[in-house]
């Protein structure tokens, strides 16, 4: 990663999904999120009633969390008439990491075509236009003997998996009502088994996340 990955500070902490990222790359001339094309991805799928892709949530290498605050000028209610501005506190969460890893099972050549269609200009997270989350190198590895795109090597969920598509004995861990396929920001929400926090953000705890969110709420109230 050439720069830290930013998140809008009012958004919950959640990992990015490879199938969601590939869908975003395929958006073409779609401007709005609800205009994203419903195009099948070149990835394997599992599931009967709720088919999901063999595409993992991200894995972060040595991640470090931070908060960046600055004051910017924002037009007030009279801006159109008098061009006045007033200062506004801007708060950005970010994760600094040298590498982001995704795992998938599918057509390596077709995934490469999707990535190449972006012209090599790819950024992750929020505030991408401002230079946050810039990717400086993408490597698609050769096929691996084991598929860890749905379940990792420790038997934990590597991505959100619809609960109804899992044998009861494997439903262990956190269950969240959320979309099970892209686009994750507008999709149908169903109960899903989700990756444990320590898998996609090693070194941080649920208590730490709660503490960070409370800190951000206090900053928001102080605006």
């Amino acid at each position: 990663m050439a720069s830290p990955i930013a998140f809008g500070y009012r958004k919950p902490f959640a990992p990015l999904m490879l199938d969601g990222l590939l869908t975003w790359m395929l958006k073409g001339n779609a401007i709005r999120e609800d205009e994203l094309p419903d195009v099948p991805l070149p990835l394997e799928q599992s599931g009967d009633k709720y088919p999901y892709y063999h595409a993992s949530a991200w894995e972060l290498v040595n991640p470090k969390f931070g908060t960046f605050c600055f004051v910017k000028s924002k037009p007030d209610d009279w801006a159109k008439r008098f061009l006045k501005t007033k200062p506004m506190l801007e708060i950005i969460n970010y994760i600094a990491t040298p590498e982001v890893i995704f795992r998938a099972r599918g057509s390596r050549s077709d995934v490469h075509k999707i990535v190449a269609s972006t012209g090599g200009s790819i950024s992750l997270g929020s505030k991408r236009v401002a230079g946050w989350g810039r990717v400086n190198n993408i490597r698609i590895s050769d096929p691996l003997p084991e598929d860890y795109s749905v379940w990792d090597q420790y038997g934990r969920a590597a991505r959100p998996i619809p609960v109804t598509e899992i044998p009861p004995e494997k439903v262990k861990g956190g269950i969240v009502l959320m979309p099970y396929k892209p686009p994750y920001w507008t999709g149908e929400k169903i109960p899903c088994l989700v990756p444990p926090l320590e898998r996609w953000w090693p070194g941080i705890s649920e208590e730490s996340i709660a503490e960070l969110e409370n800190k951000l709420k206090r900053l928001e109230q102080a605006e």
Side-chain angles (χ1 to χ4, degrees):
M1 296 297 298
S3 60
I5 304 168
F7 294 88
Y9 100 92
R10 292 177 176 83
K11 295 181 180 179
F13 295 94
L16 295 180
M17 299 294 305
L18 176 60
D19 49 358
L21 182 59
L22 292 175
T23 299
W24 183 258
M25 292 180 187
L26 285 170
K27 71 183 180 66
N29 294 323
I31 303 300
R32 301 184 315 182
E33 293 177 344
D34 57 0
E35 293 178 348
L36 290 176
D38 184 15
V39 179
L41 297 175
L43 303 174
E44 290 186 13
Q45 295 188 69
S46 291
D48 297 321
K49 184 176 181 180
Y50 300 107
Y52 55 88
Y53 288 112
H54 283 233
S56 75
W58 69 7
E59 298 174 55
L60 304 176
V61 178
N62 299 323
K64 294 182 180 179
F65 176 86
T67 301
F68 179 69
C69 303
F70 63 96
V71 176
K72 69 175 184 179
S73 294
K74 179 181 179 181
D76 62 19
D77 295 336
W78 296 91
K80 293 182 180 180
R81 193 174 301 177
F82 299 105
L83 299 179
K84 293 182 180 180
T85 61
K86 61 181 179 181
M88 177 181 177
L89 179 65
E90 178 80 5
I91 304 171
I92 297 175
N93 297 323
Y94 68 84
I95 298 176
T97 177
E99 186 177 7
V100 177
I101 299 173
F102 293 101
R103 303 181 188 275
R105 179 71 72 178
S107 171
R108 183 175 183 272
S109 60
D110 288 340
V111 170
H112 187 275
K113 290 177 183 177
I114 295 175
V115 174
S117 69
T118 66
S121 178
I122 299 175
S123 296
L124 306 179
S126 301
K127 307 294 181 181
R128 296 183 297 273
V129 175
W132 292 85
R134 187 159 296 167
V135 177
N136 57 356
N137 182 49
I138 297 177
R139 181 174 65 88
I140 302 177
S141 68
D142 294 329
L144 301 175
E146 301 293 337
D147 179 11
Y148 294 133
S149 60
V150 177
W151 301 96
D152 69 12
Q153 61 269 41
Y154 304 107
R156 304 173 302 185
R159 56 150 299 125
I161 309 171
V163 171
T164 56
E165 303 291 349
I166 308 173
E169 65 273 12
K170 297 193 72 173
V171 182
K172 299 178 181 179
I175 296 176
V176 175
L177 190 67
M178 64 171 293
Y180 64 97
K181 65 179 181 179
Y184 288 95
W185 45 92
T186 60
E188 176 189 2
K189 295 182 179 180
I190 63 172
C192 293
L193 180 69
V194 297
L197 183 63
E198 64 270 15
R199 183 186 182 280
W200 62 270
W201 193 342
I204 199 165
S205 64
E206 295 285 356
E207 292 75 17
S208 298
I209 289 288
E211 182 180 344
L212 289 169
E213 290 180 334
N214 288 333
K215 176 183 177 181
L216 295 173
K217 287 180 181 178
R218 291 194 296 270
L219 289 171
E220 182 181 28
Q221 292 171 356
E223 289 185 22

